[in-house]
Amino acid sequence: MADESNKLTLRRLEAPIHKFIKVALPTDLERLQKHHNNILKYQHSQQWDRLHQEHINASRTVQQLRANIREMEKLCSRVRVEDAHGLEALVKPVRDRASAAAYDFLLLHSNPVPQPTLPPSPASASGFHRDDDVGKESMSGGRQIQLQLPEIPADQSAAESWDNLEEDLKELSGLVTEFSLLVHSQQEKIDSIEDNVNTAAANVVEGTKSLGKVCICVCVLCDCVCGVWKIGRSMALCLPAIPRRLSLLIRSNTEESCN
């Protein structure tokens, strides 16, 4: 990850990030969805050769998707921590979409149902398919249709190509998770900074209150010192006159006694 001094604002990097989240990644995900629908169609009709080729094409798309996510991750790692919340809001939709695409693909063979091999229908043999019917079935039936797909025979190339595609999909899922952790770690940093700022602000308020109390005490103490100083000064002025007054008082008393 780049040093904080080399990081840029989200506004500076928003345009190149938008190229990934608005163009590159959606294009890859749309292509991956088409592969998903074709795989459902070919496996449902047991066209193993076509399924094998579709697995290969899907693997290429997944690899391209991974490459684009890595490039976007590099860009996002250059965004300043202060913009973590804005970055999360920007990339979350396409990140969740990529994660869901990988998950749905991996469900294709999560629990296949072995079925007897049937001869291909005339439409399948001639290469014509009712794409609308299969597409609607795959989209509306969802995971229920996925779990009813026939198992790929082990002697078919499609079985091996699926294993390769499955590994690519797992790597894609892990990469999306890694990217999510990157963004969340940036959010945790900014949350920690905000907590420290709030704590510092609270300490300043408490310090101001304590300082006010100290100022009041100092003022009271100053008043006391000034009062004592005034009393001491008055006493100092009065003390030199006391002996003289005592002498005059004694002389007066002595003269009265003599008379």
Side-chain angles (χ1 to χ4, degrees):
M1 185 180 296
D3 295 334
E4 287 296 326
S5 59
N6 297 327
K7 291 192 174 184
L8 303 173
T9 62
L10 178 59
R11 185 175 181 180
R12 290 279 302 275
L13 295 173
E14 191 170 3
I17 290 176
H18 264 286
K19 291 181 180 179
F20 285 100
I21 65 175
K22 298 296 185 181
V23 180
L25 296 182
T27 299
D28 292 337
L29 290 171
E30 288 175 6
R31 188 181 296 118
L32 192 61
Q33 182 62 49
K34 291 180 180 179
H35 293 314
H36 183 274
N37 293 339
N38 288 337
I39 287 173
L40 286 175
K41 178 177 63 177
Y42 295 145
Q43 187 165 348
H44 187 72
S45 59
Q46 302 183 28
Q47 299 181 68
W48 307 126
D49 291 339
R50 286 178 176 269
L51 180 63
H52 169 62
Q53 187 59 47
E54 199 64 33
H55 284 164
I56 295 175
N57 294 337
S59 289
R60 292 171 181 168
T61 299
V62 171
Q63 292 167 11
Q64 180 63 44
L65 183 58
R66 289 208 317 263
N68 284 330
I69 290 178
R70 287 194 183 98
E71 291 299 319
M72 187 175 69
E73 182 179 1
K74 291 179 182 178
L75 274 176
C76 293
S77 67
R78 296 176 58 195
V79 176
R80 293 191 313 177
V81 173
E82 292 83 353
D83 295 328
H85 292 293
L87 178 63
E88 167 66 10
L90 195 64
V91 303
K92 187 178 186 300
V94 71
R95 185 189 65 210
D96 291 347
R97 186 179 170 189
S99 178
Y103 178 76
D104 287 342
F105 239 117
L106 289 171
L107 282 178
L108 283 173
H109 295 280
S110 60
N111 186 23
V113 179
Q115 295 182 0
T117 302
L118 300 175
S121 62
S124 300
S126 61
F128 294 100
H129 312 282
R130 297 188 62 185
D131 293 349
D132 294 340
D133 293 341
V134 177
K136 291 179 182 178
E137 186 179 30
S138 62
M139 295 298 290
S140 62
R143 296 187 178 92
Q144 180 179 0
I145 297 298
Q146 293 174 11
L147 297 180
Q148 294 177 356
L149 291 174
E151 185 176 12
I152 303 174
D155 59 346
Q156 293 291 330
S157 300
E160 182 180 356
S161 60
W162 165 253
D163 291 338
N164 296 332
L165 174 58
E166 186 178 30
E167 289 300 318
D168 289 334
L169 289 166
K170 289 179 180 179
E171 291 183 15
L172 172 62
S173 180
L175 183 61
V176 173
T177 301
E178 179 183 337
F179 177 62
S180 178
L181 292 175
L182 167 68
V183 178
H184 282 298
S185 67
Q186 290 179 322
Q187 284 186 308
E188 290 175 357
K189 287 182 180 179
I190 188 61
D191 290 341
S192 177
I193 292 174
E194 290 176 352
D195 290 341
N196 292 336
V197 170
N198 292 335
T199 301
N203 292 336
V204 169
V205 172
E206 290 298 325
T208 303
K209 292 180 179 179
S210 300
L211 183 60
K213 294 178 181 178
V214 171
C215 290
I216 293 173
C217 293
V218 169
C219 291
V220 172
L221 180 60
C222 288
D223 290 341
C224 293
V225 171
C226 289
V228 171
W229 181 81
K230 290 179 179 178
I231 294 172
R233 184 180 180 185
S234 299
M235 292 180 65
L237 293 174
C238 294
L239 285 176
I242 290 176
R244 184 180 178 184
R245 291 182 179 180
L246 287 175
S247 176
L248 292 174
L249 182 61
I250 293 172
R251 181 182 298 179
S252 176
N253 291 333
T254 302
E255 290 177 353
E256 290 179 357
S257 298
C258 293
N259 294 330

